[in-house]
Amino acid sequence: MADPSPAVRRLADWDTDRLESLADEYDTPLYVIDLDRVKANYRRFSAAFPDARVMYAAKAHTGRAVLEAVLEAGGTIECAAWGELKRSIDAGAGPNTLQYTAVNPPAHDLDYATDLGAENPGLTVTIGATDTLERLAERGYDGRIAIRINPGIGTGHHEKVATGADAKFGIPYEEVPEVAERVRAEFDLVGLHAHAGSGVLTDGLAEHCRAISRVGEMARRVGDLEFVDVGGGYGVPYREDEPPLDLERTAEMVRDAVGEIDAQLKLEPGRYVVADAGLILSTVNTIKEAPDTTVVGIDASLATLIRPAMFGSYHPMVNVTAPERDHHPVTVGGPVCTSADVFAHDRPVARLERGDTLAIGMAGSYGYELASQFHSQPRPAEVALEAGEDRIVRRRESLEDVTRVEQ
């Protein structure tokens, strides 16, 4: 049966009355994650690649409820750190199904992965440096290895996520065949991996697929592989006038770019699965008329959502309390003492008054993951929506939580 859910869930599609009641019941700032939408997004993406193995990239949102939803939808999980491995297992993932992509891994990461692999030989470790091979061998690991390729082509919504052209990530392209021989002599070489960048929409697919084609080419050179993993990076439209990713066209272009390979295709969507499933609710506390703008102060900050400060990212906004009011351009900022703590400049929003609830959309991916206690602010609570019900899945931190680890 066809998936009835829309290709993208806009902020305007959320029930504002329900959001207002959530803000009243659970206080703000508040993260809201719709688990039904998470499952629908994962299934839609998987349906576009019926012959591939689709692994959710945990780093987009590692909340246990989200990981459990992905597993319920039939997914497996790709992890980039030891904490993600543990959280995935705690959520019910079989350790033998996990893939750990090591990027300059600290010692404790490799210790944990080595111990896990000793008891679960199906665990796959992806390496992006020959140093990692040496460090794994020192720990007695001789199991499944995938080689991360640096294709020399970066794509995505911002230079800070264009990993395919960043020397930090992966083995230089022409060195891969030699490294593959070394891996086969000491480990079990099972795959090749690459990730070109993040937040790719339909108009960026051509360059994205140019990077993927290099992975397919290298797979044919290396030969005898179990899988070829072309990573994730598939985006969602944050702006209201941007069209959603054309999944059918994406699947066709990716398959054509990879070409004929005698191996299973793997993909790692993260943002696509969770971005439009999450938002932030915040309360307006200050209205200030300045010479060039109206400043709206809210109780969310860059400690709540750092993407606008870090990437200059656009996040849609809706006045949940009174969406029917006339729209006026405002500058929306938080309580952190830096000019970077601004969510929008001159953004038309239904007129805001002190005490109103403001929703900030497309916050499901890299939102709570990048939240911090900057300014000694406790991190917010998170509420999950599922099957018409809501529940707390992450409690609000207290001031005591902020200082609990100090001594």
Side-chain angles (χ1 to χ4, degrees):
M1 185 174 70
D3 179 8
S5 65
V8 60
R9 185 182 193 181
R10 309 287 184 177
L11 182 56
D13 297 330
W14 292 74
D15 182 338
T16 54
D17 289 339
R18 187 175 190 191
L19 293 179
E20 182 81 337
S21 69
L22 291 174
D24 290 342
E25 181 175 357
Y26 297 108
D27 201 4
T28 62
L30 179 71
Y31 268 91
V32 180
I33 186 76
D34 186 335
L35 301 179
D36 293 323
R37 181 64 184 174
V38 170
K39 287 179 276 191
N41 286 344
Y42 177 85
R43 287 169 176 151
R44 186 186 321 102
F45 191 95
S46 296
F49 294 92
D51 300 323
R53 182 175 179 184
V54 176
M55 302 177 295
Y56 168 62
K59 60 183 174 289
H61 191 308
T62 57
R64 181 165 182 163
V66 168
L67 298 179
E68 289 174 342
V70 169
L71 294 171
E72 182 182 334
T76 53
I77 302 174
E78 182 269 338
C79 305
W82 67 326
E84 292 178 11
L85 288 168
K86 184 181 188 307
R87 296 180 83 145
S88 298
I89 294 168
D90 288 348
N96 283 305
T97 69
L98 297 176
Q99 185 165 314
Y100 165 52
T101 304
V103 180
N104 302 333
H108 51 61
D109 270 58
L110 289 188
D111 292 342
Y112 187 88
T114 299
D115 292 345
L116 191 62
E119 298 180 5
N120 302 277
L123 176 74
T124 301
V125 177
T126 304
I127 62 102
T130 54
D131 269 9
T132 307
L133 287 177
E134 296 167 6
R135 297 169 68 202
L136 286 167
E138 290 169 359
R139 289 164 169 78
Y141 182 85
D142 60 0
R144 294 167 56 87
I145 293 287
I147 299 173
R148 180 168 185 166
I149 301 170
N150 185 312
I153 299 170
T155 61
H157 69 88
H158 194 279
E159 62 181 11
K160 292 180 181 178
V161 299
T163 55
D166 188 335
K168 176 182 175 180
F169 300 95
I171 303 290
Y173 191 79
E174 290 303 327
E175 296 178 17
V176 171
E178 181 181 346
V179 174
E181 289 185 16
R182 176 178 173 183
V183 171
R184 284 182 167 136
E186 303 177 44
F187 306 88
D188 180 15
L189 178 62
V190 295
L192 297 181
H193 169 280
H195 179 77
S198 184
V200 176
L201 291 171
T202 306
D203 59 3
L205 281 174
E207 188 70 357
H208 189 74
C209 286
R210 193 164 72 87
I212 288 174
S213 68
R214 302 204 78 198
V215 184
E217 175 189 336
M218 185 56 69
R220 289 182 285 276
R221 286 176 61 181
V222 171
D224 192 19
L225 298 168
E226 178 186 309
F227 66 81
V228 175
D229 182 349
V230 296
Y234 305 98
V236 294
Y238 284 58
R239 294 180 181 272
E240 294 87 345
D241 59 351
E242 289 179 316
L245 181 69
D246 185 335
L247 262 188
E248 183 176 343
R249 182 182 175 193
T250 298
E252 180 181 356
M253 290 179 67
V254 167
R255 291 191 192 96
D256 288 346
V258 174
E260 292 295 324
I261 52 172
D262 186 17
Q264 182 179 51
L265 178 65
K266 280 189 177 184
L267 301 103
E268 304 170 2
R271 185 188 311 273
Y272 185 90
V273 176
V274 292
D276 70 358
L279 54 75
I280 297 166
L281 297 177
S282 185
T283 299
V284 175
N285 55 49
T286 304
I287 304 290
K288 179 171 64 174
E289 296 296 337
D292 299 321
T293 187
T294 298
V295 177
V296 174
I298 60 176
D299 61 3
S301 72
L302 62 77
T304 315
L305 179 70
I306 200 172
R307 295 190 72 256
M310 180 179 288
F311 301 118
S313 302
Y314 177 97
H315 284 263
M317 295 178 180
V318 166
N319 180 343
V320 168
T321 302
E324 74 284 353
R325 292 178 189 155
D326 291 340
H327 283 58
H328 299 277
V330 293
T331 294
V332 180
V336 167
C337 189
T338 169
S339 297
D341 186 28
V342 174
F343 294 100
H345 292 278
D346 299 323
R347 179 78 61 83
V349 180
R351 182 173 50 80
L352 290 160
E353 299 177 357
R354 194 166 64 241
D356 285 351
T357 301
L358 180 71
I360 302 172
M362 294 294 179
S365 63
Y366 306 103
Y368 209 112
E369 286 305 299
L370 294 171
S372 73
Q373 294 175 340
F374 184 47
H375 265 14
S376 294
Q377 294 190 84
R379 282 174 292 197
E382 184 174 31
V383 169
L385 310 181
E386 188 172 27
E389 302 294 328
D390 55 77
R391 70 182 193 275
I392 284 282
V393 292
R394 197 159 0 201
R395 69 169 175 81
R396 186 175 306 280
E397 289 183 339
S398 65
L399 281 177
E400 287 72 23
D401 290 324
V402 173
T403 57
R404 191 178 304 280
V405 298
E406 296 179 17
Q407 57 184 1

